[in-house]
Amino acid sequence: MTDQGYEEELRSERDYVAGLYTRLDAERARVKAEYEAALGGNGVGAMERDVGVRSLGRQVKRLDVVDNGLCFGRLDAVSGERSYIGRIGLFDEENDYRPVLLDWRAPAARPFYTATGANPEDMHRRRQFHTRGRRVLGFTDEDLGRPGGDAQGDAALLAAVNAPRGEGMRDIVATIQAEQDEIIRLDHPGVLVIEGGPGTGKTVVALHRVAYLLYTQRERMERHGALVVGPNPAFLDHIGRVLPSLGETDVVFTTTGDLVPGLHVTAEDVPEVARRKGSLKILDVLKAAVADRQRLPAEPVPIALKDVTVRIDAETAEWARQEARDSGLPHNEARAKFVEIVTYVLTERALGRIGKGWLSRDDRDEWESMRKGLLEDLAVDEKFTATIDELWPKLTPEGLLSSFYASAPADSGLFRARGDAWTVSDVPLLDELADLLGQDKTAEKAADAAAARARQAEAEYAEGVFQTMKLDREEMDEDVLLSAENLLYAEDLAERFEEADTRSLVERASADRDWTYRHVVVDEAQELSEMDWRVLMRRCPGRSFTVVGDLAQRRSAAGARSWGAMLKPYVAGRWVYRSLTVNYRTPAEIMAVAAAVLAEFAPEVKPPDSVRACGVRPWSRLVVPDELTSAVEEFVREEAGREGTSIVIGPPGVPGTVPASETKGLEFDAVLVVDPAAILADSPADLYVALTRATQRLGVLHEGPLPAALGGLAEVVRS
């Protein structure tokens, strides 16, 4: 194509994309107007209004976040048909809803990612736009169906991976590779495990898979949304922009320490304690702790009623306890059965004494009247209530676990002077106890009954208003009367007393421990314990998961040593495995150093192959203790003058550095690793992680001898 031809094509493409933005703005204005009208109610019921508001709210958000790079490519078929590819789909309403922009997830858009020179899939050309905001800066064409046709596509990929890192992870919607696309669109209803070494893009592939599922299964998923679980808040902040940039916002992001609403836990146990708490064997310990609170009285407890004294003895309590346990209900819900048996025994004994000699069993009304009186007396008897609370107390997960830790033997590893000083390993235990304990629903039932009475009163009031209007019909204008009747129809008027719940899905799901999701993504999944998995399986009864991890990077003593062993109890036969082998982030020079470390502690694992070299050899520098601070400051100053991001990684507790465990999944243009020997001694996997965070430049500062595995670094000597 000549320069003149290119400029003419560029003007044409700019005009087309400008037209797409005109359609986007019009659609956005229409949906926002409908959203504001829905907020006003428009005469519909509260439930219908809530559903409409949420649906329109989702559309508003979806349209609000796709401005940047709305259209990023064009696909030309051999037949001459052209398709523009973008973040969302747009249609020509005046022309049979002909698509003017294909959503990247649509089946017709797939060849944009999978067509090659060797297998063009009936495509002639792939065009990729270079954009900034709403403006098309230029384009690159890739001719398909002839040798060497992939060269421009490779150039587009390399341009993307070589670009300086910005704030947060970027989506790869314009440069998805064929092996990634296959995983993103995989039609599997169970658990998909994606394993890959550093830089293989497994996290961003998983996020694009969520966006794909939200698109293809919109009706099924949008009422429950998806959950993304990451290793720490910094990681979640890093990846948090990807799904919104793809037009998807019905996703909750959390860590394992935040899975129970109201808790935000970051502290960790020492490895041996974490391993013990993370094992399924802890279930028996928790169940025993609950059972230990279901007690029998050491001596009969006298309960003095008005006409008789009765006793709660061990035999009665044991019968009640067994009946309550056999009910299969959680502890707090089974309490009602325990109380029922105890009160039955006490009232039977009391009635036998009160009615002895003058009342026969045929006098049913008299018996029931006396029983009712006895039950009322027991309900307000403080000693009876206190005894029930002692024998079958109402328990909370936090209270039970806290007291358990505080009373544990000092040498058990579980003792803690302050029982509620929660760690991340405690969160799944608290969640398990929430199921084992359940809730005491007495107050809830009373509240429901009161609410039902209030609704009935509101309905009766509304009906009264309506009837009054009918009586005054002759005195009212006919149009006014008709409008008022429509407005004040009894059932609708009562419903208007209810406050609409306009919270977003993310807000509602985050606050509800019993919320269930249609799909769950678990990143850095090799770190999760057996107990962590129980929590997540409860959150997703349909067992639809995308599991992302790298067993070679496992550092948790309670983490996975094999995917099969961890998943078999829940989805035996319903999980599939896919691997990513190409490293898009780490240049070959840096990966060679990291691979030597990997070979030391996991020789059976093959490192991913880097797609590029950066031309800069990683370096090391020997410093004396007094020089360390100034050497770090020198690195920070140098990188501050360059475009991109940087970080200093060191052993835990070293001032001015970030532990490697907190950088998992993150990427930076430049990385400085401090004291690699100390990191290696603490965790070989952590050193591997630290070395593979850099996309361009890697430096190492060491005070003592370098670990042998780092012999490939270029030693820098400062005069």
Side-chain angles (χ1 to χ4, degrees):
M1 185 183 299
T2 64
D3 290 345
Q4 181 179 353
Y6 179 87
E7 289 300 324
E8 291 176 355
E9 276 283 291
L10 182 57
R11 281 194 294 271
S12 175
E13 299 293 28
R14 283 174 173 168
D15 289 343
Y16 190 90
V17 172
L20 294 177
Y21 277 109
T22 299
R23 290 181 183 275
L24 174 67
D25 291 339
E27 180 69 4
R28 182 181 290 154
R30 180 188 67 80
V31 173
K32 284 186 176 179
E34 291 183 6
Y35 176 69
E36 291 170 0
L39 283 174
N42 279 343
V44 300
M47 182 176 295
E48 183 181 353
R49 181 175 67 248
D50 290 356
V51 172
V53 166
R54 289 178 188 136
S55 176
L56 288 167
R58 285 191 289 265
Q59 293 182 53
V60 168
K61 289 181 179 179
R62 198 169 293 135
L63 294 171
D64 274 346
V65 296
V66 295
D67 259 41
N68 189 30
L70 171 66
C71 176
F72 50 79
R74 193 183 90 187
L75 198 58
D76 297 354
V78 173
S79 64
E81 182 181 0
R82 291 180 177 178
S83 300
Y84 286 83
I85 316 298
R87 297 178 180 277
I88 62 171
L90 293 174
F91 302 89
D92 184 351
E93 297 179 7
E94 298 177 357
N95 190 10
D96 296 328
Y97 282 87
R98 179 181 64 86
V100 293
L101 181 66
L102 278 178
D103 192 299
W104 66 275
R105 296 162 287 192
R110 185 167 191 174
F112 186 79
Y113 302 108
T114 58
T116 64
N119 182 24
E121 301 186 32
D122 295 325
M123 295 296 148
H124 167 60
R125 177 184 295 115
R126 174 167 42 226
R127 174 168 291 178
Q128 292 181 308
F129 296 139
H130 315 303
T131 63
R132 180 178 298 131
R134 291 189 167 203
R135 182 170 176 78
V136 178
L137 303 179
F139 63 82
T140 302
D141 281 344
E142 179 183 353
D143 293 328
L144 303 170
R146 63 181 181 82
D150 296 339
Q152 293 290 357
D154 292 342
L157 171 65
L158 290 175
V161 298
N162 278 318
R165 305 298 98 175
E167 292 298 323
M169 179 179 284
R170 297 170 294 195
D171 66 67
I172 59 169
V173 66
T175 57
I176 294 171
Q177 299 302 290
E179 72 164 358
Q180 297 172 329
D181 185 79
E182 179 185 355
I183 293 174
I184 290 169
R185 299 175 192 259
L186 184 66
D187 183 16
H188 180 71
V191 175
L192 167 63
V193 175
I194 307 173
E195 184 162 30
T200 53
K202 53 189 180 292
T203 296
V204 76
V205 166
L207 295 175
H208 283 67
R209 176 169 167 76
V210 172
Y212 176 76
L213 293 174
L214 286 167
Y215 173 80
T216 57
Q217 303 177 26
R218 180 76 64 194
E219 185 174 344
R220 173 180 174 270
M221 291 189 65
E222 69 178 2
R223 295 190 66 178
H224 288 262
L227 174 68
V228 175
V229 181
N232 54 60
F235 174 84
L236 295 179
D237 183 61
H238 178 66
I239 69 173
R241 298 171 180 84
V242 174
L243 283 167
S245 76
L246 300 174
E248 301 299 346
T249 56
D250 289 341
V251 181
V252 174
F253 292 84
T254 190
T255 68
T256 55
D258 295 324
L259 280 170
V260 174
L263 287 181
H264 174 64
V265 184
T266 58
E268 295 187 3
D269 284 303
V270 298
E272 178 54 31
V273 174
R275 184 196 61 75
R276 184 172 180 185
K277 290 182 181 179
S279 169
L280 292 180
K281 295 178 181 179
I282 199 72
L283 288 172
D284 292 334
V285 176
L286 297 178
K287 292 175 183 177
V290 174
D292 186 56
R293 270 64 176 180
Q294 300 164 355
R295 298 170 177 143
L296 305 178
E299 299 291 338
V301 180
I303 306 295
L305 301 177
K306 283 186 296 187
D307 299 316
V308 67
T309 296
V310 291
R311 287 174 173 76
I312 303 177
D313 53 31
E315 182 181 10
T316 298
E318 186 172 15
W319 177 31
R321 182 174 70 177
Q322 194 58 49
E323 288 288 329
R325 289 176 175 176
D326 289 345
S327 72
L329 294 171
H331 171 87
N332 289 328
E333 296 172 35
R335 173 184 162 103
K337 174 62 69 174
F338 180 83
V339 174
E340 176 189 334
I341 299 297
V342 172
T343 54
Y344 170 78
V345 172
L346 296 187
T347 55
E348 281 294 305
R349 289 175 179 172
L351 287 170
R353 296 176 188 175
I354 295 172
K356 186 175 181 180
W358 65 274
L359 193 63
S360 72
R361 286 290 176 180
D362 293 332
D363 299 321
R364 294 184 180 277
D365 291 344
E366 188 67 29
W367 281 109
E368 290 306 316
S369 176
M370 288 194 298
R371 185 187 300 277
K372 182 179 179 182
L374 289 169
L375 289 173
E376 291 173 350
D377 290 345
L378 286 174
V380 297
D381 188 277
E382 293 182 359
K383 189 170 185 180
F384 175 77
T385 301
T387 302
I388 292 295
D389 286 342
E390 182 179 346
L391 300 181
W392 198 285
K394 298 175 185 177
L395 299 174
T396 65
E398 294 83 0
L400 177 59
L401 194 59
S402 176
S403 63
F404 171 76
Y405 287 152
S407 61
D411 59 353
S412 67
L414 297 177
F415 171 77
R416 201 158 58 200
R418 182 185 164 190
D420 62 352
W422 306 123
T423 66
V424 173
S425 301
D426 291 325
V427 174
L429 276 59
L430 291 167
D431 194 72
E432 190 72 36
L433 284 170
D435 269 10
L436 290 174
L437 298 178
Q439 298 177 345
D440 178 13
K441 298 189 176 181
T442 305
E444 183 180 325
K445 289 178 179 178
D448 288 345
R453 290 193 296 271
R455 285 194 298 271
Q456 179 64 27
E458 290 164 1
E460 291 173 355
Y461 168 75
E463 181 65 25
V465 172
F466 184 65
Q467 293 300 330
T468 300
M469 289 169 48
K470 290 176 67 176
L471 292 174
D472 295 339
R473 178 184 297 273
E474 294 182 359
E475 301 177 9
M476 299 180 67
D477 179 89
E478 185 174 348
D479 290 338
V480 173
L481 176 64
L482 180 61
S483 175
E485 286 180 344
N486 289 336
L487 179 65
L488 295 176
Y489 187 77
E491 185 176 349
D492 286 347
L493 181 61
E495 198 174 49
R496 289 177 186 278
F497 283 89
E498 299 178 20
E499 183 178 351
D501 184 357
T502 58
R503 291 178 300 167
S504 69
L505 180 144
V506 170
E507 291 169 329
R508 289 180 291 128
S510 299
D512 186 356
R513 185 253 169 190
D514 295 323
W515 189 276
T516 57
Y517 298 89
R518 285 290 183 259
H519 191 76
V520 176
V521 172
V522 187
D523 210 323
E524 299 294 342
Q526 72 277 355
E527 306 297 347
L528 269 62
S529 70
E530 293 175 322
M531 290 298 293
D532 288 327
W533 280 108
R534 282 181 64 86
V535 179
L536 295 179
M537 292 296 169
R538 277 194 286 271
R539 301 294 190 272
C540 187
R543 304 292 195 260
S544 178
F545 282 75
T546 299
V547 176
V548 181
D550 180 9
L551 294 178
Q553 296 187 55
R554 180 187 62 81
R555 71 185 301 273
S556 171
R561 285 168 170 77
S562 82
W563 300 118
M566 197 63 81
L567 296 174
K568 185 177 179 180
Y570 310 104
V571 288
R574 282 194 60 214
W575 69 280
V576 296
Y577 175 89
R578 295 291 185 272
S579 64
L580 293 170
T581 59
V582 179
N583 189 332
Y584 299 98
R585 177 180 68 217
T586 317
E589 296 91 339
I590 295 176
M591 197 61 218
V593 176
V597 173
L598 180 66
E600 288 283 324
F601 73 93
E604 73 285 358
V605 178
K606 184 181 183 299
D609 298 320
S610 298
V611 299
R612 66 188 176 96
C614 64
V616 179
R617 187 178 174 187
W619 55 267
S620 65
R621 176 183 167 191
L622 177 65
V623 295
V624 298
D626 291 344
E627 294 177 322
L628 182 59
T629 300
S630 60
V632 170
E633 292 173 349
E634 180 183 345
F635 169 83
V636 172
R637 281 195 305 272
E638 289 179 354
E639 291 301 328
R642 290 172 165 158
E643 187 178 7
T645 60
S646 63
I647 193 171
V648 181
I649 302 176
V654 174
T657 71
V658 178
S661 60
E662 295 182 16
T663 67
K664 279 193 168 185
L666 308 183
E667 54 186 37
F668 306 88
D669 290 272
V671 171
L672 180 67
V673 178
V674 174
D675 199 354
I679 299 175
L680 182 65
D682 183 56
S683 169
D686 276 0
L687 182 57
Y688 181 57
V689 168
L691 296 172
T692 54
R693 298 306 94 193
T695 65
Q696 302 291 343
R697 300 174 295 281
L698 171 67
V700 173
L701 296 179
H702 60 106
E703 296 179 6
L706 270 177
L710 298 183
L713 294 170
E715 183 69 25
V716 174
V717 179
R718 296 294 174 94
S719 57

